Amino acid sequence: MKIVIVGGVAGGASAAARARRLMEDAEIVVFERGEHISYANCGLPYHVGNVIPDEDDLLVQTVKGMSRRFRLDIRTNSEVTAIHRDRRTVSVHDRKNGRTYEESYDRLILSPGARPFVPPLPGADLKGVYTLRTIPDAAAIKAKVDAGGVKRAVVVGAGFIGVELAENLQARGVEVTLEEGADQVLPPLDSDMARLIETELEKNGVRLILGSSLQSIEKTASGLAVTAGDHAPIEADLVALCIGVRPETELAKAAGLRLGFKDSIWTDSHQRTSDPHIYAVGDAVQTWNLLDGKETLLALAGPANRQGRLAAGAIAGLPHAFPGVAGSSVVKVFGLTAAATGMSEKALLRENVPYEKVYVQPLDHAGYYPGARQMTLKLLFSPVSRRVLGAQAVGPEGIDKRIDVIAAALQLGATVDQLSQLELCYAPPYGSAKDPVNVAGFVAVNVLDGLSRQIHWHDIGCLPENALLLDVRTPAEYEAGHIEGAKLFPLDNLRETLEELPKDRPTVVYCKVGLRGYLAERILVQHGFTDVYNLAGGYQLYEGVRGATVPDLPIDCLGYARS
């Protein structure tokens, strides 16, 4: 058996190592057009920021080390330029020696990856304009910053790489403007959760220009000028285009392989293409959402590694199926972490999937143990099946742990009832007896069981005129800031003041984060108040997401269909 692999990094390198572990006698040839066979491209922004100062630390495997350990024929600086399916060969251009030759295969694995998207706009090819996808890309940006000539930078695109690069440039003393065509940073998140990250970016000196697409880049006497939307040109010494990536499928397309979603390479669940002798993995391959089965693209290292492993296994006679993706992701932004898994609220609305949501703001570990920090966790779930549909969280500590737990539960088809009963590790330095994951489950179960009726931050502005808004916090909290029009009825005195409240008006209660509001809601309901609602996430969330985009919901703030 001769296996030829086109492309290294995550998918190709993973496939090569797995193939050797399963087939000791196979001949395995790996072609990589660059000079590095396996590197951590997720670490590139941190190399620019000197968090990872040594370029070699980004190398997961060296050519020499991987060749020796796995007995691979690795040929770097070698670009595969054509696939000849009729005779099962590939054409290879040896960049070092300037020659082209053909290499035969019994099975071919394509891992071409994706290339940074560079829009066809004026100035996108000017000197001083960079993309960030490879180690040479990072080295070029770092060298320019190291030389001391970069005082101002514009990062175009506020996805994961763009946000990380903005933080790392800011840490190097560069004045950074982060420009994004969407109306929020980190577009995979919902606007309310992204707003918490936007506040953190602005607090740390990053200027945000949102909802304005890049128009042009011009050379000036002092450097570059970036124009976005109708904003005045932004002066910069360096411009980084982090607008996203596009799958590299020219090779597959020229070979007549079937293409899929957005011109990506189509594969079955075993990573086999339309040619039974050819497999494909990684960023160039279409996949599907494991919740609704719809085709999608996901340029993340985790799925690419797993796909490489599966492709090699299928060739070796172990045809395990790829289950699809949940889109689990995490990003550090200065002092905060943001993470998500499953479907977002805007995706559920777009796909017309019925859902409900809750917000909780617990501490990352026991409050009596020093250093406890508060997080914001948003849980999305089905009101019919009660199944978990997605989750997002933002906070300084413990975010990845909670979203990882929910990601596992989601992929196993868990309901919010099961989430509430998960038995998770507890010790004061690490968590609480009621973990944030459990708490989110508890609140969701209460909503579905009819014990709590919620309104959300975006509903406050559309309450009916006769609605009564009650602040059940303490007088000191109320004086420090409250929702306009709210009347103070502290929770601990609520039972004694019930006669002052009319029972024939819609009543909305709120506290700091939602817990005291729920307690107030239960008191009112059990004393004959029939139209009571609790503000999910409380005053803290309401204030924290101010300015976020209001979701286009088919129902009004009290749960009735919009006219």
Side-chain angles (χ1 to χ4, degrees):
M1 172 75 73
K2 182 177 181 180
I3 301 170
V4 168
I5 301 172
V6 180
V9 195
S14 177
R18 174 71 165 169
R20 175 57 71 217
R21 291 193 298 269
L22 297 178
M23 295 172 282
E24 178 64 19
D25 294 334
E27 181 182 356
I28 303 172
V29 182
V30 182
F31 292 108
E32 169 57 50
R33 66 185 170 198
E35 58 182 293
H36 302 294
I37 187 63
S38 181
Y39 62 91
N41 51 10
C42 295
L44 298 178
Y46 300 100
H47 181 50
V48 173
N50 265 340
V51 178
I52 305 171
D54 191 342
E55 181 181 298
D56 289 345
D57 289 338
L58 294 170
L59 302 178
V60 179
Q61 283 277 9
T62 64
V63 173
K64 182 178 180 181
M66 194 169 184
S67 298
R68 182 171 182 177
R69 175 166 294 179
F70 296 102
R71 198 163 56 83
L72 304 173
D73 181 357
I74 299 176
R75 306 178 197 176
T76 57
N77 294 298
S78 297
E79 182 176 9
V80 173
T81 56
I83 302 170
H84 310 289
R85 293 167 54 194
D86 55 344
R87 55 183 184 269
R88 290 191 209 167
T89 65
V90 294
S91 292
V92 183
H93 175 62
D94 181 345
R95 291 179 167 182
K96 280 186 178 179
N97 300 309
R99 68 186 185 98
T100 299
Y101 61 95
E102 286 194 16
E103 189 76 26
S104 65
Y105 65 84
D106 296 311
R107 295 293 183 272
L108 178 64
I109 300 176
L110 302 178
S111 180
R115 65 165 59 90
F117 174 64
V118 178
L121 294 174
D125 58 350
L126 286 173
K127 184 178 180 181
V129 179
Y130 300 85
T131 57
L132 184 58
R133 183 68 176 172
T134 66
I135 287 180
D137 292 340
I141 297 173
K142 185 174 184 297
K144 187 170 180 64
V145 177
D146 289 346
V150 180
K151 304 299 182 185
R152 304 155 302 175
V154 174
V155 177
V156 181
F160 296 115
I161 293 295
V163 166
E164 289 170 340
L165 182 58
E167 175 184 347
N168 280 277
L169 287 172
Q170 191 79 8
R172 296 290 306 274
V174 177
E175 182 183 304
V176 178
T177 297
L178 182 59
E179 182 272 323
E180 168 60 49
D183 59 4
Q184 65 171 81
V185 301
L186 301 176
L189 296 183
D190 287 321
S191 179
D192 47 15
M193 303 301 284
R195 185 71 195 109
L196 304 175
I197 295 299
E198 290 163 8
T199 299
E200 181 73 3
L201 286 162
E202 291 171 328
K203 185 179 78 175
N204 284 277
V206 176
R207 179 192 178 196
L208 298 180
I209 296 180
L210 305 176
S212 298
S213 297
L214 177 66
Q215 301 296 321
S216 66
I217 305 171
E218 297 178 357
K219 186 172 179 57
T220 67
S222 59
L224 299 168
V226 178
T227 301
D230 56 3
H231 291 269
I234 310 160
E235 296 291 327
D237 304 304
L238 178 152
V239 176
L241 301 179
C242 302
I243 307 175
V245 295
R246 300 293 184 269
E248 291 206 43
T249 56
E250 291 80 7
L251 195 62
K253 185 184 297 186
L257 296 177
R258 177 181 169 185
L259 299 182
F261 185 71
K262 293 187 176 179
D263 274 348
S264 59
I265 304 173
W266 177 89
T267 67
D268 64 15
S269 61
H270 306 299
Q271 304 307 134
R272 187 168 41 233
T273 70
S274 54
D275 184 320
H277 299 99
I278 302 176
Y279 295 73
V281 302
D283 296 353
V285 173
Q286 77 165 37
T287 184
W288 56 92
N289 186 309
L290 59 79
L291 283 167
D292 63 12
K294 293 194 174 182
E295 296 170 348
T296 188
L297 289 172
L298 190 67
L300 293 175
N305 273 288
R306 296 195 299 277
Q307 289 169 351
R309 177 183 173 89
L310 287 173
I315 291 171
L318 299 172
H320 298 294
F322 188 71
V325 295
S328 302
S329 56
V330 64
V331 61
K332 174 189 175 298
V333 187
F334 292 100
L336 292 181
T337 296
T341 190
M343 297 184 75
S344 63
E345 181 175 9
K346 57 189 174 184
L348 291 166
L349 284 170
R350 185 173 61 245
E351 300 298 334
N352 199 28
V353 177
Y355 72 94
E356 183 55 272
K357 62 182 176 182
V358 297
Y359 300 87
V360 296
Q361 297 183 86
L363 299 175
D364 70 297
H365 65 250
Y368 59 83
Y369 187 87
R373 309 286 295 279
Q374 193 173 49
M375 68 178 69
T376 300
L377 194 159
K378 178 179 184 178
L379 181 68
L380 299 147
F381 51 94
S382 168
V384 179
S385 68
R386 304 170 78 101
R387 183 180 177 183
V388 177
L389 299 176
Q392 300 170 35
V394 174
E397 299 288 346
I399 299 303
D400 54 336
K401 171 181 175 180
R402 272 66 192 208
I403 293 299
D404 278 344
V405 168
I406 296 174
L410 181 151
Q411 291 179 60
L412 295 173
T415 64
V416 292
D417 308 80
Q418 292 169 314
L419 212 62
S420 72
Q421 296 300 322
L422 283 178
E423 184 177 341
L424 302 172
C425 295
Y426 161 56
Y430 303 107
S432 300
K434 297 177 182 178
D435 190 85
V437 173
N438 298 133
V439 173
F442 294 153
V443 177
V445 169
N446 283 342
V447 169
L448 293 180
D449 286 353
L451 294 176
S452 181
R453 299 170 74 186
Q454 299 183 118
I455 67 165
H456 296 285
W457 59 269
H458 47 76
D459 297 324
I460 293 297
C462 66
L463 291 175
E465 289 186 5
N466 67 331
L468 183 63
L469 190 58
L470 302 184
D471 188 324
V472 300
R473 300 174 299 162
T474 65
E477 289 176 291
Y478 181 86
E479 289 300 322
H482 58 269
I483 299 175
E484 184 178 354
K487 298 182 182 298
L488 178 64
F489 277 76
L491 173 65
D492 291 339
N493 301 326
L494 185 59
R495 291 182 180 86
E496 288 74 34
T497 56
L498 289 177
E499 292 183 359
E500 301 176 29
L501 297 172
K503 293 185 177 181
D504 60 349
R505 294 168 60 182
T507 302
V508 175
V509 295
Y510 74 87
C511 62
K512 180 181 178 181
V513 297
L515 175 57
R516 284 175 289 171
Y518 171 63
L519 299 177
E521 178 189 9
R522 295 304 303 153
I523 291 171
L524 291 171
V525 167
Q526 293 179 86
H527 280 83
F529 291 76
T530 58
D531 203 13
V532 184
Y533 305 84
N534 183 24
L535 176 59
Y539 181 74
Q540 182 169 284
L541 182 73
Y542 172 78
E543 280 293 298
V545 303
R546 189 181 292 272
T549 301
V550 175
D552 185 15
L553 297 165
I555 57 175
D556 69 13
C557 59
L558 299 187
Y560 300 104
R562 293 190 187 275
S563 58

